[in-house]
Amino acid sequence: MKKRRILLTLALSLSIGISIAKAQEKQPENNDITSLLKKKRMYNQNNGTGFRIQLYNGLETKAKSLQSRFRGEFPTIYTKIKYDQPDWKIQVGDYRTKLEADRALNKIREKFNGSIVVPL
C-alpha cells in the first residue's frame, strides 16, 4: 500500500511537471516584443552601454600620475582620463555587465583602493 502511494505521487508529479513545461512552450510569439528587443539591441550597439571602473576623481596632476601608475600595473586594460569640470577622472576598462566590472574591480582594488564601478 505504501509503495502504491509513492508510485502514484511520483506519477502525478511527473505528469504535472510535463504539462507545465508544455504549457510554457505553447505561448505565441509576440511580434511587438521581438521588434522591441531588436531595437534595444541596436540602441545598445550604437550607444555603448556598459561599465567602467573609476580610479580617481580630483586634481589633474594626481590623476595623470595615477593613470601612468595604473598602466604600469595593468598594461592590458584600457585607460581613459576625462575632464568633468572641475575634476579629472580616471576610468579604466570596458565591461558589458556589472558582474564583469565587479570581478575586475576585486583585482584592481588590491592596488588601487577607493575604486568604484560606474555606468558609461
Side-chain angles (χ1 to χ4, degrees):
M1 187 72 172
K2 199 173 191 181
K3 286 183 182 181
R4 189 179 220 184
R5 279 189 177 172
I6 292 173
L7 287 174
L8 185 60
T9 305
L10 286 174
L12 186 61
S13 298
L14 184 62
S15 64
I16 289 173
I18 290 172
S19 66
I20 289 172
K22 287 191 177 195
Q24 290 177 356
E25 289 177 8
K26 293 179 183 177
Q27 291 182 355
E29 187 172 319
N30 192 337
N31 291 333
D32 293 336
I33 293 173
T34 305
S35 72
L36 281 174
L37 286 173
K38 286 180 184 178
K39 286 179 184 177
K40 175 70 173 156
R41 286 184 187 121
M42 289 301 293
Y43 177 83
N44 288 347
Q45 286 176 353
N46 295 334
N47 295 325
T49 60
F51 297 89
R52 284 203 175 117
I53 297 171
Q54 185 168 303
L55 299 178
Y56 178 74
N57 182 26
L59 301 173
E60 177 183 11
T61 53
K62 187 169 180 186
K64 288 184 178 181
S65 69
L66 199 62
Q67 182 184 25
S68 65
R69 187 175 135 219
F70 181 84
R71 284 182 178 164
E73 296 283 337
F74 300 96
T76 59
I77 299 177
Y78 169 77
T79 63
K80 178 181 182 178
I81 193 162
K82 182 177 170 183
Y83 181 67
D84 282 336
Q85 201 169 17
D87 294 323
W88 291 81
K89 297 178 181 186
I90 302 174
Q91 295 179 346
V92 298
D94 275 321
Y95 306 100
R96 287 184 177 247
T97 64
K98 188 154 181 359
L99 182 63
E100 288 177 27
D102 286 337
R103 285 181 181 157
L105 180 65
N106 289 336
K107 293 177 185 173
I108 290 171
R109 269 201 180 151
E110 292 174 4
K111 301 201 179 199
F112 297 90
N113 58 356
S115 304
I116 58 171
V117 174
V118 293
L120 286 178

